[in-house]
């Protein structure tokens, strides 16, 4: 004779069903997070591809003179597309500035590219946030080439001008550090 009461059997079945549900939920979450990672760190953005050359696009300096996206070829470059109104851009900016200060002696260049705003607004914005790295303004060519629909967009380029990592959206400090390892000598 089985001494297990109906209430205990029901509790056991409820636990088993809950456990199966938790396992299925974890698998769905894991799959979903892999999809999010693929979207946030794509192999391409517009015409620009990881493993391909950074395009040579015309930009405008804050003084209005022409500057190229490839201005810093020969050095590892973190190109960060942003806008003054972009909340995630503002949130990641102090971390970008800190990494620039920490690694510029090792050759790193951070090149900020504003998305089609007036120079006076960009100057005020960068001064307010204490940005010390070079800034340019995209007049539209980069937005088209990179198919920019979401900012911030970060592109990590090695010293030979090859794109090594692309990140769409606000980067967290750990992701920044991992991306920098793809372009800095010695990781």
């Amino acid at each position: 004779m089985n001494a297990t009461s109906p209430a205990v059997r029901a509790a056991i079945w409820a636990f088993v069903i809950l456990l199966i549900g938790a396992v299925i939920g974890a698998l769905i979450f894991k799959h979903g997070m892999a999809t999010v990672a693929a979207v946030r760190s794509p192999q391409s953005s517009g015409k620009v591809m990881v493993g391909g050359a950074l395009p040579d696009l015309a930009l405008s300096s804050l003084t209005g003179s022409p500057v190229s996206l490839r201005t810093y070829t020969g050095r590892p470059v973190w190109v960060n597309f942003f806008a003054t109104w972009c909340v995630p851009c503002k949130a990641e900016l102090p971390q970008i500035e800190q990494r620039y200060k920490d690694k510029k002696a090792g050759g790193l260049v951070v090149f900020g590219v504003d998305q089609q705003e007036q120079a006076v607004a960009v100057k005020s914005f960068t001064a307010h946030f204490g940005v010390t790295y070079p800034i340019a303004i995209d007049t539209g060519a980069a937005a088209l080439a990179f198919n920019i629909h979401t900012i911030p967009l970060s592109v990590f380029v090695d010293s030979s001008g090859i794109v090594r990592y692309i990140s769409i959206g606000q980067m967290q400090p750990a992701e920044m550090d991992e991306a920098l390892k793809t372009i800095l000598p010695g990781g």
Side-chain angles (χ1 to χ4, degrees), residues 2-14:
N2 190 347
T4 308
S5 73
V8 171
R9 283 194 303 266
I12 291 171
W13 275 110

Side-chain angles (χ1 to χ4, degrees), residues 38-144:
V39 169
R40 289 211 4 89
S41 307
Q43 290 299 300
S44 65
S45 184
K47 298 174 188 171
V48 180
M49 301 180 81
V50 170
L54 183 69
D56 191 16
L57 301 169
L59 306 168
S60 178
S61 74
L62 293 181
T63 61
S65 58
V67 62
S68 168
L69 194 55
R70 283 197 196 162
T71 297
Y72 300 100
T73 298
R75 296 175 63 185
V77 181
W78 176 353
V79 181
N80 178 255
F81 294 94
F82 72 96
T84 63
W85 50 263
C86 170
V87 174
C89 300
K90 294 174 188 177
E92 74 177 7
L93 201 135
Q95 292 293 326
I96 295 171
E97 178 65 25
Q98 186 59 54
R99 280 157 181 75
Y100 173 64
K101 287 179 179 177
D102 291 347
K103 301 192 180 295
K104 69 180 176 181
L108 177 67
V109 173
V110 173
F111 190 33
V113 181
D114 176 81
Q115 290 303 286
Q116 305 177 44
E117 296 181 284
Q118 297 296 316
V120 66
V122 178
K123 286 178 190 176
S124 174
F125 175 81
T126 55
H128 173 77
F129 282 96
V131 173
T132 60
Y133 51 83
I135 301 291
I137 298 174
D138 175 27
T139 56
L144 289 173

